[in-house]
Amino acid sequence: MNDEVKLQAFEARINAGGTIEPKDWMPEGYRRQLIRMISQHAHSEIVGMLPEGNWITRAPSLRRKMILLAKVQDEAGHGLYLYSAAETLGIERSELIEQLLTGRAKYSSIFNYPTLSWADMGTIGWFVDGAAIVNQTMLAKCSYGPYARANLRICKEESFHKKQGYEIITVLANGTPEQKIMAQEAVNRWWKPSLMMFGPGDKDSPNSADLMKWKIKLKTNEELRQRFVDLTVPQAQAVGLTLPDPELKYNDEAGHWEYGALDWQEFFEVISGHGPYNRERMKARREAHRQGEWVRVAAEAYAEKRKMLA
Amino acid sequence: MPLSSSNDTQWALWEVFLQEDEGAPHIHAGSLHAADAEMAIQNARDVYARRGPVKSIWVVPSEEITATTPQDNDSFFDPAEDKVYRHPQFYKVPKGVRGV
């Protein structure tokens, strides 16, 4: 079979709702797009540990500290099984990590903003994990089996992340005046960057057409963003916090919340490494990798020694 | 100087199978890297079994798995396609008879 015939069969299978597995024939573009997308997703989980790790030692109670530790550990786990899913496409994890540490790989823009107060932990859980769930629920149905299964596993764990964040915000919003102000400030800072997590509109999104055609993505960036807004506005109202958008209003006819324009120039700057915290994040990742080297070497030496004793 | 060398975090690949309930089959969950079997079990617990329910974990070196090839599926599984007499629906039973 020549590639043209294979491609037709491949696309017919995807259009019929089929699932592609690692050993199946796939066009190079599909493989490339998946490696790009899954590795970006994995990097985001790994870098995403940093803004929260910042607050583990400063959590306001032992309960909150245990929860935050568990959440950050989940993110490490998500990163690891996403790297595994990417490896099924014939690329090695060490190469992906190399791409991240040398600054050649992209990851979600949201993690390049600083976490200034404890309320940021609540807001990140509520907004950032909430947005991630909207995205990953879709990805759990994508056409590539290993990625779909990884997202299914992630979604099961991610719902606790969102809930614990919303709980933090609820407590602060019902607390002292200072606490309520702290919650509102965090919401003001994180709202628009969270909306931009879904990426630009599809005409400005260079990969969207391929991703939709091959059912790697099943919904457009705009559809996902709208779903997130519709879910989140009532949640903000329920705890008496406002979202920082004067243009936010409910459209009765459409049954959706309309929201104001987003600053895509800021988004592209952050994505290309010029966000408020890109440099710190990469520095922290590189340091962690260096400081972990003795552990990797020791694990190898230990495995060697056990082999000799066996 | 590369930030990670080739032997850096790139140990052998292992496939992880989880049993979620007593009596249930072990089902493939994903894969991971580990220097040996003991580390693979530890990592499998940390990566794939942070919350229940997990009753048992198997880890298998990925290179030890032999699998069918998708290209040969048609001819390979063909013998199973056209033997209707292997299914109970193929058989007629006198009306009113139960438990056959």
Side-chain angles (χ1 to χ4, degrees), chain A residues 174-185:
Chain A
N174 291 307
T176 63
E178 290 89 346
Q179 285 176 317
K180 187 164 182 176
I181 289 168
M182 187 165 79
Q184 185 61 61
E185 277 178 350

Side-chain angles (χ1 to χ4, degrees), chain A residues 62-90:
Chain A
L62 183 59
R63 177 175 180 266
R64 293 278 181 221
K65 187 173 182 168
M66 284 184 342
I67 292 168
L68 194 57
L69 268 169
K71 179 176 192 286
V72 171
Q73 194 192 25
D74 277 348
E75 280 146 13
H78 297 171
L80 284 168
Y81 42 80
L82 286 163
Y83 283 131
S84 294
E87 284 191 303
T88 61
L89 293 153

Side-chain angles (χ1 to χ4, degrees), chain A residues 293-309:
Chain A
E293 186 171 7
W294 73 269
V295 181
R296 295 191 291 274
V297 171
E300 248 169 90
Y302 180 68
E304 278 303 312
K305 189 174 113 184
R306 286 180 57 93
K307 233 185 273 174
M308 283 176 9
L309 294 174

Side-chain angles (χ1 to χ4, degrees), chain A residues 74 84 93-94 157 296, chain B residues 8-10 31 33 50-51:
Chain A
D74 277 348
S84 294
R93 184 177 69 184
S94 52
E157 299 186 336
R296 295 191 291 274
Chain B
D8 191 12
T9 74
Q10 198 63 71
S31 48
H33 290 275
R50 284 189 306 282
R51 343 175 136 62

Side-chain angles (χ1 to χ4, degrees), chain B residues 55-79:
Chain B
K55 290 275 183 267
S56 148
I57 300 176
W58 291 348
V59 291
V60 183
S62 304
E63 57 182 15
E64 296 292 335
I65 292 183
T66 309
T68 51
T69 41
Q71 297 84 305
D72 303 338
N73 271 3
D74 287 354
S75 58
F76 189 74
F77 294 113
D78 178 57

Side-chain angles (χ1 to χ4, degrees), chain B residues 28-46:
Chain B
H28 183 249
S31 48
L32 51 78
H33 290 275
D36 63 6
E38 186 193 9
M39 186 177 173
I41 286 278
Q42 291 276 350
N43 287 357
R45 185 202 56 189
D46 294 347

Side-chain angles (χ1 to χ4, degrees), chain A:
Chain A
M1 270 207 296
N2 68 23
D3 279 3
E4 194 45 46
V5 176
K6 283 182 185 161
L7 180 64
Q8 277 171 357
F10 170 88
E11 290 188 341
R13 193 168 148 196
I14 283 182
N15 288 330
T19 304
I20 306 300
E21 292 293 342
K23 293 172 77 172
D24 293 335
W25 183 89
M26 59 186 78
E28 212 33 51
Y30 181 81
R31 185 186 303 274
R32 240 195 347 264
Q33 285 285 17
L34 275 169
I35 289 176
R36 185 189 61 81
M37 197 157 151
I38 301 174
S39 64
Q40 278 181 16
H41 191 169
H43 297 326
S44 301
E45 294 280 358
I46 298 296
V47 177
M49 292 193 278
L50 297 169
E52 292 177 302
N54 198 20
W55 282 90
I56 289 173
T57 53
R58 287 176 283 183
S61 69
L62 183 59
R63 177 175 180 266
R64 293 278 181 221
K65 187 173 182 168
M66 284 184 342
I67 292 168
L68 194 57
L69 268 169
K71 179 176 192 286
V72 171
Q73 194 192 25
D74 277 348
E75 280 146 13
H78 297 171
L80 284 168
Y81 42 80
L82 286 163
Y83 283 131
S84 294
E87 284 191 303
T88 61
L89 293 153
I91 188 160
E92 295 212 323
R93 184 177 69 184
S94 52
E95 191 178 332
L96 298 172
I97 290 174
E98 179 75 13
Q99 287 172 1
L100 174 67
L101 297 179
T102 51
R104 279 176 296 145
K106 290 195 168 80
Y107 55 87
S108 181
S109 58
I110 197 77
F111 303 117
N112 293 315
Y113 293 86
T115 43
L116 304 178
S117 77
W118 173 249
D120 289 36
M121 292 304 95
T123 315
I124 286 178
W126 175 25
F127 286 173
V128 176
D129 291 282
I133 291 170
V134 167
N135 200 21
Q136 288 158 352
T137 308
M138 165 193 76
L139 292 171
K141 300 188 194 79
C142 83
S143 63
Y144 188 59
Y147 192 36
R149 292 189 288 272
N151 275 293
L152 194 62
R153 189 170 278 281
I154 289 171
C155 285
K156 280 184 186 166
E157 299 186 336
E158 203 86 48
S159 58
F160 129 71
H161 296 185
K162 179 175 179 177
K163 268 199 160 147
Q164 65 87 40
Y166 191 58
E167 189 191 81
I168 290 171
I169 286 295
T170 307
V171 168
L172 293 173
N174 291 307
T176 63
E178 290 89 346
Q179 285 176 317
K180 187 164 182 176
I181 289 168
M182 187 165 79
Q184 185 61 61
E185 277 178 350
V187 164
N188 293 351
R189 276 183 289 112
W190 288 94
W191 175 244
K192 290 219 164 166
S194 299
L195 291 190
M196 290 196 269
M197 279 175 71
F198 295 100
D202 296 285
K203 60 182 192 319
D204 303 313
S205 188
N207 300 300
S208 270
D210 272 352
L211 295 173
M212 302 284 292
K213 178 179 70 177
W214 287 326
K215 297 201 193 302
I216 296 171
K217 285 181 71 167
L218 302 160
K219 292 194 171 92
T220 66
N221 294 351
E222 295 294 8
E223 284 173 315
L224 294 167
R225 187 169 15 253
Q226 186 62 60
R227 169 149 179 78
F228 173 71
V229 173
D230 290 342
L231 282 170
T232 312
V233 175
Q235 291 164 357
Q237 289 170 331
V239 289
L241 295 172
T242 55
L243 297 171
D245 180 356
E247 293 173 64
L248 200 64
K249 66 171 195 294
Y250 192 69
N251 180 327
D252 258 328
E253 244 168 79
H256 289 298
W257 284 91
E258 292 174 352
Y259 54 92
L262 298 166
D263 183 357
W264 290 110
Q265 197 186 332
E266 178 188 330
F267 172 83
F268 285 115
E269 268 172 29
V270 176
I271 280 275
S272 56
H274 306 296
Y277 255 60
N278 295 63
R279 234 170 258 171
E280 284 79 356
R281 297 292 181 237
M282 279 300 97
K283 189 165 152 269
R285 262 324 311 150
R286 283 196 284 266
E287 258 166 38
H289 196 75
R290 247 198 318 276
Q291 287 167 353
E293 186 171 7
W294 73 269
V295 181
R296 295 191 291 274
V297 171
E300 248 169 90
Y302 180 68
E304 278 303 312
K305 189 174 113 184
R306 286 180 57 93
K307 233 185 273 174
M308 283 176 9
L309 294 174

